[in-house]
Amino acid sequence: MIRTKGFLRNVSFILFSSIGGLLLSLTGLSIGWMLGTLVMAGAFSFWSHTNSTSSDDKYVLPRFWMNAGQFILAIELGQKINLTVIDIFRDHWMSIMTMLLLSIVFSLLSGLVLWKFSHTDLLTSLFGTVPGGLSVIPGIAEEVGGNIGVVSIIQTMRVFLVVLVIPFLVSSFAVHSEKLEVSNNQSAFIFPSLEMDEMIWTAVLALGALAGYYIGKLLKFPAPWLVGGMLGAASIQAAGSSFAGHNLTPWWPNILIIAAQVFIAASIGSKFHKKMFTGLGKTMAVALFSTIGLILSLFICAFIVSKLTGITFVTAVLAFAPGGITEMATTAAVLHEDSTFVVVVQVLRIVLVCIAVPPLIKLLHQRRLRNRAHSHAARNI
């Protein structure tokens, strides 16, 4: 009975939040379902936490719904895996790797600004501004001694800012030839014709994505439901198409992508409440300006990569935007950009962050502590 009540409560929250997505989608904005749902869920979460008198009212949407959205998105992206990304990296790997390293440098500089002009410690400031994803960075920060609460808040604020701002900006650059087809036959676009072989192939891709998730979880991939699932579905898609001699097409209605956007956005929005920001006024203000500076610097990186490689500016922005794998991949998929490239670059950035950044930040922190100890000792002489 309790589980049923909780499930109905979660569904009600998602449906209510999706009203914002529906309204914003009517404006013609491609990412409207995600942004509208995100705004509605965040607003409702703020209101409910502020006005509730019972602890039962203070909850976030269970992880299941985020995982479900990532799983759907993994299958969507897995279908699109091809040799284009490999060719791009082979031809322009130097430019892309340079920009990835610069993006990490810019994020560390943003963290130094936050440390200098706020009350947070160096570890927390650096981990708070590193664009590694909400599911990755706070855990790493906790392991090396950072304040996981403050890191989570700053990381979440960064994701919110990126997810709310960048889709609006890149949508103005995206021109879709499919738009007329959608307006002329909306029902066919949302619910394509159903054929048995396509349904079977959809089930096979889903099993491949599920296997990819378990492998990704075992190997500790970031966002295993998305990254592992995408790799699993992509492997099945590539192998099956090669065996058949042509690209196999699953039955994949657009309503599934809408559902993925709603699940992901509602999950993110449900995490916000007023108490998260209590006593962090100055820190949040500095973090806001440093995050804006980071986003602007990465726009410059994206512009350079676009000019050097021929990749569209929108794809480059989403690939280098510090918004996390799920959020930027969802935006890329909805905008019909090269979502595969976006996921690959985002994953590569997170891998670099996880491998190189924690030891570097820890080294900087230890060096600062040693310098402080030496200064203290010198004053006592």
Side-chain angles (χ1 to χ4, degrees):
M1 182 68 180
I2 296 177
R3 290 185 177 180
T4 302
K5 182 179 179 180
F7 178 78
L8 292 177
R9 183 183 191 182
N10 296 333
V11 171
S12 299
F13 178 81
I14 293 172
L15 290 176
F16 175 80
S17 301
S18 68
I19 295 175
L22 174 62
L23 294 176
L24 195 56
S25 70
L26 296 178
T27 65
L29 186 65
S30 300
I31 198 69
W33 279 100
M34 183 173 181
L35 288 180
T37 303
L38 184 64
V39 171
M40 183 70 79
F44 181 76
S45 182
F46 266 97
W47 178 84
S48 62
H49 284 88
T50 301
N51 295 278
S52 63
T53 57
S54 171
S55 60
D56 293 336
D57 293 330
K58 301 177 181 179
Y59 79 104
V60 298
L61 209 59
R63 182 69 190 181
F64 166 81
W65 299 102
M66 172 68 83
N67 293 341
Q70 291 183 342
F71 186 69
I72 295 171
L73 188 59
I75 300 175
E76 161 73 14
L77 299 177
Q79 303 173 42
K80 299 179 178 180
I81 294 296
N82 50 49
L83 298 177
T84 303
V85 173
I86 298 177
D87 291 337
I88 291 174
F89 272 106
R90 183 184 61 194
D91 297 336
H92 308 288
W93 66 271
M94 180 66 74
S95 300
I96 293 175
M97 288 302 299
T98 301
M99 291 303 103
L100 278 176
L101 293 175
L102 282 176
S103 69
I104 294 176
V105 171
F106 288 145
S107 69
L108 293 177
L109 291 175
S110 176
L112 290 175
V113 171
L114 178 62
W115 170 57
K116 285 293 186 180
F117 295 97
S118 71
H119 300 296
T120 56
D121 60 88
L122 180 62
L123 276 177
T124 300
S125 298
L126 292 176
F127 276 110
T129 55
V130 167
L134 282 171
S135 61
V136 177
I137 295 302
I140 298 176
E142 185 180 28
E143 291 179 4
V144 298
N147 185 326
I148 188 174
V150 176
V151 170
S152 298
I153 292 174
I154 297 174
Q155 286 281 336
T156 305
M157 184 203 69
R158 174 182 53 79
V159 171
F160 252 77
L161 185 62
V162 170
V163 171
L164 287 173
V165 172
I166 287 185
F168 279 112
L169 296 178
V170 299
S171 293
S172 63
F173 295 99
V175 179
H176 308 299
S177 60
E178 298 90 347
K179 188 172 182 180
L180 291 177
E181 298 178 8
V182 173
S183 61
N184 292 333
N185 194 0
Q186 184 71 20
S187 61
F189 178 67
I190 296 179
F191 297 100
S193 59
L194 174 61
E195 296 184 9
M196 184 57 64
D197 57 344
E198 293 181 347
M199 279 295 295
I200 294 174
W201 189 240
T202 301
V204 171
L205 285 179
L207 290 174
L210 187 62
Y213 157 71
Y214 283 110
I215 295 174
K217 185 178 180 181
L218 180 64
L219 297 177
K220 297 183 179 180
F221 285 177
W225 278 105
L226 175 63
V227 179
M230 182 200 71
L231 294 176
S235 300
I236 296 296
Q237 177 73 23
S241 298
S242 299
F243 180 79
H246 61 87
N247 288 327
L248 296 175
T249 305
W251 185 75
W252 199 247
N254 191 59
I255 191 67
L256 290 177
I257 299 300
I258 294 175
Q261 293 183 68
V262 170
F263 292 163
I264 292 171
S267 297
I268 296 174
S270 69
K271 296 176 183 178
F272 284 83
H273 55 85
K274 189 175 181 179
K275 289 185 178 180
M276 294 177 66
F277 302 94
T278 302
L280 291 177
K282 184 177 180 179
T283 298
M284 295 304 296
V286 176
L288 175 63
F289 285 106
S290 64
T291 300
I292 292 174
L294 175 62
I295 293 173
L296 292 176
S297 67
L298 295 184
F299 261 90
I300 296 174
C301 290
F303 178 77
I304 294 173
V305 168
S306 177
K307 290 298 183 181
L308 292 177
T309 64
I311 301 169
T312 65
F313 178 66
V314 173
T315 296
V317 167
L318 295 175
F320 292 103
I325 300 174
T326 302
E327 296 80 13
M328 294 302 102
T330 302
T331 304
V334 174
L335 293 178
H336 305 288
E337 290 295 321
D338 193 344
S339 51
T340 302
F341 178 81
V342 171
V343 171
V344 171
V345 175
Q346 290 280 350
V347 170
L348 182 58
R349 175 174 53 78
I350 288 180
V351 170
L352 288 175
V353 167
C354 293
I355 293 176
V357 173
L360 177 60
I361 293 178
K362 194 171 183 179
L363 180 63
L364 291 174
H365 182 65
Q366 291 175 346
R367 182 177 178 180
R368 178 172 175 269
L369 291 179
R370 285 196 301 267
N371 291 337
R372 179 187 292 179
H374 291 326
S375 300
H376 182 73
R379 286 196 299 268
N380 292 333
I381 294 177

